[in-house]
Amino acid sequence: MTNKPIDPPINNPIIIDPRMLNNYYDQDDEISLVDLWLSLVKQKNILLSTMLAVIVMAIVYIVAVPETYTYKTVIAIGTQAQAQAQAQAQA
């Protein structure tokens, strides 16, 4: 007899314990909405200054870019209604 290790069948999944990969669920992973709100309150100066900077840049852009207008006209020459009117006038 040989002492060869037997390979597992191809169709059987390999089960790995998630704790081995350090990606299992932990109670410390939860995010509290109160903590998020307190973080926003602490950084309100940065938030407000960023919003103000974006608004100022938008106003500068609106004032600096010249207004451009595009007009388009379509003229139909020799339509069927005119041809019928001419035919009736000649008859």
Side-chain angles (χ1 to χ4, degrees):
M1 259 180 110
T2 61
N3 290 334
K4 282 186 168 181
I6 300 173
D7 292 334
I10 296 174
N11 294 333
N12 289 343
I14 299 172
I15 300 173
I16 298 174
D17 188 11
R19 289 175 287 184
M20 292 172 56
L21 300 174
N22 292 328
N23 63 354
Y24 60 94
Y25 178 74
D26 190 12
Q27 292 293 332
D28 295 336
D29 289 343
E30 293 183 359
I31 298 174
S32 171
L33 292 178
V34 174
D35 291 339
L36 288 175
W37 177 253
L38 293 176
S39 174
L40 285 175
V41 169
K42 284 181 186 177
Q43 299 176 6
K44 69 180 174 184
N45 291 337
I46 295 172
L47 183 65
L48 292 175
S49 62
T50 303
M51 288 181 0
L52 183 65
V54 168
I55 291 171
V56 167
M57 287 189 295
I59 291 172
V60 167
Y61 176 78
I62 290 171
V63 170
V65 173
E67 296 177 4
T68 56
Y69 298 100
T70 304
Y71 297 101
K72 184 177 180 181
T73 303
V74 177
I75 300 173
I77 299 175
T79 60
Q80 188 175 8
Q82 288 176 348
Q84 289 175 356
Q86 288 176 354
Q88 289 175 357
Q90 290 177 357

